[in-house]
Amino acid sequence: MGSEHAVTSIVDAGIYAEGRRVATATTFAETFGYLDEHPESFAWIGMKRPTHKDVDVLAQQFELSPLLIEDIINAHQRPKFERYGAVGFLVLRAATYRDTSETIEFGEVHALVGDRFIVTLRHSPTPDLSELRRELQAKPKVLAKGPRVVLTRLLDTVVDGYRPVMLGIENDVDEIETEVFGGASHVSKRIYQLSREVIDLQRALRPLRQIVDDLRDDPIMNNAPNCCASSCATSRTTRSASTSASSRCTRRSRARSTSTWRCRRSGRTRRSPT
């Protein structure tokens, strides 16, 4: 094979043997060279916003299915876990609550996982996986279990990130309730925006149960019967909370509409109680 195209989207590529980092690669070819030198090792490659050319090189080096290549290139995938031959493919939607704008920022992360490698691909600034890598590198006994540990901890990281988002949503709903019954004129737009964000969050949450079930049944999780337990529990709690928030948003919207209609019917300028 000729010289490899310079893959600029690689942000880190570590080779791990017995849970400890033994080498750092800068290209996919180097990665395979190190894996040959360390037969018991695995590679964790992190990529951010890969170009089509980068994905082409990734596909050639890892012999990926054309269908899988199409999924990698196309962002805005639904959360899922699928298997393409010897490679598992995970898609997750991360969420971050921004206090300054009181909005939810969504991100997307993909993971390719095999017996001796995991490749994480971010199509957005969030989630930042550098902290996850540092955390696992500090626990060699955990990281020694291989790519499946990285995969499950990635899932845990994304799911744990939903908790502060739900707290932010609950605070927004409380503020909207105060504005509705205080007669604020701009509240309809805020209700609509929050309702859309809650719907987007539910779309990220709903597939998680199926993802956990699929992972438990997948060969990559052999000898890991309790995998994803915390993610499953957290996703159930968060999904329930998001449904509750959605219902509250709907009630507040209806309350505002009914209150305004009554005022117009009666000719009053104040809002009547609902």
Side-chain angles (χ1 to χ4, degrees):
M1 183 179 297
S3 61
E4 181 180 325
H5 159 76
V7 181
T8 57
S9 58
I10 294 179
V11 295
D12 199 356
I15 312 299
Y16 301 89
E18 298 181 350
R20 301 188 183 279
R21 188 166 186 151
V22 295
T24 298
T26 57
T27 66
F28 296 129
E30 280 187 12
T31 299
F32 284 103
Y34 285 129
L35 290 176
D36 289 340
E37 291 178 19
H38 304 275
E40 301 301 319
S41 66
F42 78 93
W44 178 1
I45 302 171
M47 303 177 69
K48 181 179 178 181
R49 289 177 173 161
T51 65
H52 284 208
K53 184 62 177 177
D54 291 348
V55 174
D56 286 342
V57 176
L58 175 69
Q60 293 169 11
Q61 293 285 349
F62 288 86
E63 300 179 348
L64 302 180
S65 160
L67 292 176
L68 177 52
I69 298 169
E70 184 177 339
D71 275 353
I72 295 171
I73 291 174
N74 295 325
H76 309 296
Q77 294 276 326
R78 64 178 178 83
K80 62 181 179 178
F81 178 77
E82 295 179 341
R83 177 158 285 278
Y84 294 83
V87 179
F89 179 56
L90 175 68
V91 177
L92 295 171
R93 293 274 288 165
T96 304
Y97 184 82
R98 300 300 183 190
D99 287 318
T100 53
S101 58
E102 295 185 328
T103 58
I104 302 173
E105 179 180 299
F106 291 93
E108 185 171 337
V109 60
H110 299 174
L112 306 173
V113 60
D115 290 338
R116 296 189 62 197
F117 70 87
I118 181 166
V119 182
T120 53
L121 307 99
R122 288 187 292 142
H123 288 279
S124 55
T126 57
D128 182 359
L129 301 181
S130 58
E131 180 59 33
L132 174 60
R133 189 185 290 266
R134 286 192 293 269
E135 175 191 327
L136 288 175
Q137 287 181 161
K139 301 175 181 178
K141 289 184 179 180
V142 175
L143 196 53
K145 297 177 182 178
R148 66 181 171 87
V149 168
V150 181
L151 190 70
T152 54
R153 285 295 295 120
L154 171 62
L155 178 57
D156 287 343
T157 298
V158 171
V159 171
D160 288 346
Y162 295 141
R163 294 176 186 261
V165 173
M166 289 311 307
L167 292 175
I169 289 176
E170 289 176 3
N171 183 66
D172 286 349
V173 172
D174 289 340
E175 290 180 355
I176 286 173
E177 288 179 341
T178 301
E179 292 174 354
V180 164
F181 296 108
S185 60
H186 64 281
V187 71
S188 295
K189 181 178 180 181
R190 192 175 181 194
I191 290 174
Y192 175 78
Q193 178 184 347
L194 184 59
S195 297
R196 294 303 311 171
E197 290 177 339
V198 170
I199 290 172
D200 287 341
L201 183 62
Q202 289 175 332
R203 287 172 177 165
L205 287 167
R206 286 195 188 104
L208 289 177
R209 182 62 180 269
Q210 186 61 52
I211 288 173
V212 170
D213 289 343
D214 291 342
L215 280 171
R216 282 174 171 162
D217 295 337
D218 195 81
I220 194 66
M221 293 302 170
N222 284 343
N223 303 319
N226 295 319
C227 77
C228 311
S230 75
S231 291
C232 188
T234 302
S235 68
R236 284 198 300 268
T237 303
T238 309
R239 187 167 59 247
S240 176
S242 70
T243 301
S244 175
S246 180
S247 298
R248 291 177 69 189
C249 281
T250 301
R251 290 197 299 270
R252 297 291 74 75
S253 180
R254 289 174 179 169
R256 173 174 168 76
S257 298
T258 302
S259 179
T260 302
W261 179 82
R262 287 177 178 173
C263 287
R264 289 173 179 170
R265 291 274 295 180
S266 64
R268 301 170 187 165
T269 57
R270 66 178 181 85
R271 300 188 183 277
S272 46
T274 56

